[in-house]
Amino acid sequence: MEFDFSAILLALTVLFGVVWGLDRLFLYKRRKARLDAAGEEYRDPAPVDWSRSLFPVVLVVLLLRSFVAEPFRIPSGSMMPTLDVGDFILVNKFAYGLRMPAFNNKFVELGEPKRGDVVVFRFPGYLCQDGGRLVRSGDMSCSDPQAPVQQQNWIKRVVGLPGDSIEVHGADLLVNGQRVNAEEIGPYVGNPQRSVDQIMLNMGATVWTEHLGKVSHMIARMPAYTTPNSIPNDRVPSKVPPGCYLVMGDNRNDSLDSRWWGCLPEQNLAGKAFLIWMSWKGWGTGGVDFSRIGTVIH
């Protein structure tokens, strides 16, 4: 997402509220008296009429998106097979506390992420060296450590909580010294007409059931595609620092996650994904996938 829709909603709410409020406080009575004296039918000026009509609508949308549930669309295959490209999901915005719209400052504590949660968050940026210190950059190559980080929402699964010791070596994930168990289900089955499926089919992807704490969920492995970074590495320590979480995509060989850019700061959390409400596979490659609608996200 290249723009902050919450910030736009907040700005519109303030704008419409200020225009409507100032008019009612300072202009409405004089204007009405003037029109009544002239025997003309009262009518608000167009900007005031639009503000009066749109303010409650935009306010309700802002409150629902900020504090109840917000829709997102899955743009990439990093969470396959759990979440497919074209899935439209709902995100619980109060699962991890109430936050101010646009600013994302938490003002009510309601809970913290658990191991295995699928979380939506504002991408924190890539870890880069800049004058002997680690900084967050929008440049993946780190050629420009001061490059601004784009305001984008990403989605991954929590594998490490603050204080955990996490190790990742290829397909092996260890949490606090214990290997996370997984059983193979079989080869990945997809539509070769879709490019994301074609990659997985060509690379011999297999589907597994992984048991991450109390959560059992599916992951995909395709070692022929790429070898992901291990943890620990020169930028990501094995011990998760306070106020941070390690996150990974379920498509383990095709996910740009904490193995590359480090821990996810708590203040970047947007909410917990909980439901697929629509799934669109594209024209000529499946259309609406009714089998996925209503799927609870684990």
Side-chain angles (χ1 to χ4, degrees), residues 217-236:
H217 63 99
M218 291 189 297
I219 62 170
R221 295 176 177 174
M222 45 178 178
Y225 182 64
T226 185
T227 301
N229 282 355
S230 295
I231 294 178
N233 58 54
D234 60 345
R235 297 178 185 176
V236 185

Side-chain angles (χ1 to χ4, degrees), residues 72 83 87-92 272-278 292-298:
F72 289 91
L83 297 173
D87 282 348
F88 291 81
I89 66 171
L90 287 177
V91 174
N92 183 337
K272 179 182 178 181
F274 70 94
L275 184 73
I276 299 172
W277 63 272
M278 173 60 75
R292 297 183 65 80
I293 296 176
T295 300
V296 176
I297 300 169
H298 297 292

Side-chain angles (χ1 to χ4, degrees), residues 29 47 51 53-54 97 113 148 182 188 214-215 253 258 283-284:
K29 289 183 179 180
S51 297
S53 301
L54 292 175
Y188 175 78
K214 296 180 180 180
V215 178
N253 294 83
S258 286
W283 294 109

Side-chain angles (χ1 to χ4, degrees), residues 17-146:
V18 167
V19 170
W20 184 27
L22 290 179
D23 178 78
R24 282 303 183 263
L25 285 173
F26 301 109
L27 303 176
Y28 168 72
K29 289 183 179 180
R30 282 184 292 174
R31 182 171 61 248
K32 188 174 188 306
R34 185 176 67 253
L35 292 174
D36 287 346
E40 298 179 20
E41 180 183 359
Y42 177 80
R43 181 175 299 174
D44 282 327
V48 176
D49 186 46
W50 277 95
S51 297
R52 176 178 56 80
S53 301
L54 292 175
F55 173 72
V57 176
V58 177
L59 177 62
V60 169
V61 173
L62 175 67
L63 294 175
L64 288 176
R65 286 178 59 98
S66 300
F67 304 129
V68 182
E70 184 172 2
F72 289 91
R73 181 181 181 276
I74 303 300
S76 73
S78 70
M79 283 297 292
M80 293 173 69
T82 304
L83 297 173
D84 202 353
V85 176
D87 282 348
F88 291 81
I89 66 171
L90 287 177
V91 174
N92 183 337
K93 297 302 295 285
F94 57 85
Y96 307 134
L98 299 182
R99 298 173 184 270
M100 289 296 294
F103 299 99
N104 215 40
N105 298 323
K106 185 188 292 187
F107 62 92
V108 177
E109 295 278 354
L110 293 176
E112 300 294 338
K114 298 178 177 61
R115 189 176 292 109
D117 283 1
V118 177
V119 298
V120 171
F121 55 93
R122 183 169 293 178
F123 177 55
Y126 303 99
L127 283 174
C128 297
Q129 288 283 349
D130 184 29
R133 63 189 181 95
L134 281 176
V135 298
R136 294 284 187 174
S137 171
D139 181 8
M140 183 180 179
S141 70
C142 290
S143 299
D144 180 9
Q146 297 300 318

Side-chain angles (χ1 to χ4, degrees), residues 131-248:
R133 63 189 181 95
L134 281 176
V135 298
R136 294 284 187 174
S137 171
D139 181 8
M140 183 180 179
S141 70
C142 290
S143 299
D144 180 9
Q146 297 300 318
V149 180
Q150 289 185 332
Q151 300 296 303
Q152 295 179 326
N153 288 310
W154 288 27
I155 184 167
K156 304 292 178 188
R157 187 180 298 274
V158 174
V159 299
L161 305 177
D164 280 346
S165 176
I166 303 294
E167 293 183 44
V168 181
H169 306 286
D172 293 329
L173 170 61
L174 289 84
V175 178
N176 296 323
Q178 299 295 316
R179 190 180 308 277
V180 175
N181 294 323
E183 298 94 30
E184 186 173 358
I185 298 174
Y188 175 78
V189 178
N191 183 350
Q193 292 181 308
R194 299 175 71 218
S195 58
V196 65
D197 285 340
Q198 190 176 63
I199 292 173
M200 297 183 71
L201 292 170
N202 291 343
M203 294 294 112
T206 52
V207 178
W208 299 64
T209 298
E210 181 178 79
H211 307 286
L212 190 59
K214 296 180 180 180
V215 178
S216 295
H217 63 99
M218 291 189 297
I219 62 170
R221 295 176 177 174
M222 45 178 178
Y225 182 64
T226 185
T227 301
N229 282 355
S230 295
I231 294 178
N233 58 54
D234 60 345
R235 297 178 185 176
V236 185
S238 61
K239 190 173 182 64
V240 185
C244 252
Y245 300 87
L246 283 188
V247 296
M248 293 171 61

